[in-house]
Amino acid sequence: MTQTISELLEAAADRALPVVRGIDDGQLDRRTPCAEYDVRALVNHLFQVVVNFQALAAREEADFSQEPDFVTGDWRGRFGAETARLVQAWGVPGAEEGTTGQMGLPARTVGLMVLGDLTVHAWDLARATGAEFAPDPGVVEEVGPGLAALAPQAREMKVFGEPFPVGAGATAFERVLAVTGRDPGWRPAGG
């Protein structure tokens, strides 16, 4: 049986939260596999995604035009609370039905987008900070085909980079990273 977006998001959040909570303030200026983001900027981006996709689940407008600074006060605790709200929002009956967002995409596709962001950006943050991260296998199984299908449009919109070449022995998650334009072997300079 196919898992709901809410169930998948809960599994992804369980893996992402220790990474985010483990980020030390001294690591906020480190480079990440997303060349345009340091750790602070990527945490802010991920916060914005988590908050905006709560709105999309409820068929409300999402504002991606600005990235507020979420990395203030107890931001680690707030990230946990916001991911819990994200799981709840996608668990509301009907959240996966119909379309949502300005592009009128199927709601489940939109849910898979936030699932991909939560999983891939948790890996980005783990790599940048030296944390351990292993994605939930069920999440990878679900998000892999979805991100592969969205990849051409995502590249056109400059959301994904060009696919990174991986060998035939690449794991399913390494293929997910590669389709988004990431080098699965990325390590920080000197790391």
Side-chain angles (χ1 to χ4, degrees), residues 103 150-162:
M103 295 172 60
L150 291 170
Q153 186 176 9
R155 281 189 200 94
E156 210 171 279
M157 297 170 68
K158 306 289 186 230
V159 176
F160 286 1
E162 288 302 310

Side-chain angles (χ1 to χ4, degrees), residues 64-164:
F64 287 94
S65 65
Q66 298 176 24
E67 282 194 8
D69 187 7
F70 291 98
V71 185
T72 61
D74 180 23
W75 60 270
R76 293 166 191 88
R78 280 196 330 275
F79 186 77
E82 292 298 346
T83 56
R85 284 198 231 356
L86 179 69
V87 169
Q88 271 186 317
W90 283 94
V92 170
E96 291 188 44
E97 297 169 13
T99 61
T100 189
Q102 291 180 328
M103 295 172 60
L105 292 172
R108 186 164 174 91
T109 299
V110 172
L112 289 172
M113 291 165 70
V114 69
L115 182 66
D117 268 23
L118 188 56
T119 303
V120 171
H121 289 322
W123 176 86
D124 291 331
L125 291 168
R127 280 298 165 105
T129 62
E132 291 295 317
F133 177 75
D136 180 87
V139 168
V140 173
E141 186 178 316
E142 190 70 33
V143 85
L147 291 182
L150 291 170
Q153 186 176 9
R155 281 189 200 94
E156 210 171 279
M157 297 170 68
K158 306 289 186 230
V159 176
F160 286 1
E162 288 302 310
F164 189 85

Side-chain angles (χ1 to χ4, degrees), residues 12-21 23 42-51 54 70-72 74-86 117-119 121-122 125:
D14 285 349
R15 304 290 177 108
L17 287 173
V19 173
V20 172
R21 288 182 177 143
I23 296 171
L42 189 56
V43 168
N44 277 322
H45 169 73
L46 189 53
F47 250 110
Q48 181 189 38
V49 166
V50 166
V51 168
Q54 292 170 31
F70 291 98
V71 185
T72 61
D74 180 23
W75 60 270
R76 293 166 191 88
R78 280 196 330 275
F79 186 77
E82 292 298 346
T83 56
R85 284 198 231 356
L86 179 69
D117 268 23
L118 188 56
T119 303
H121 289 322
L125 291 168

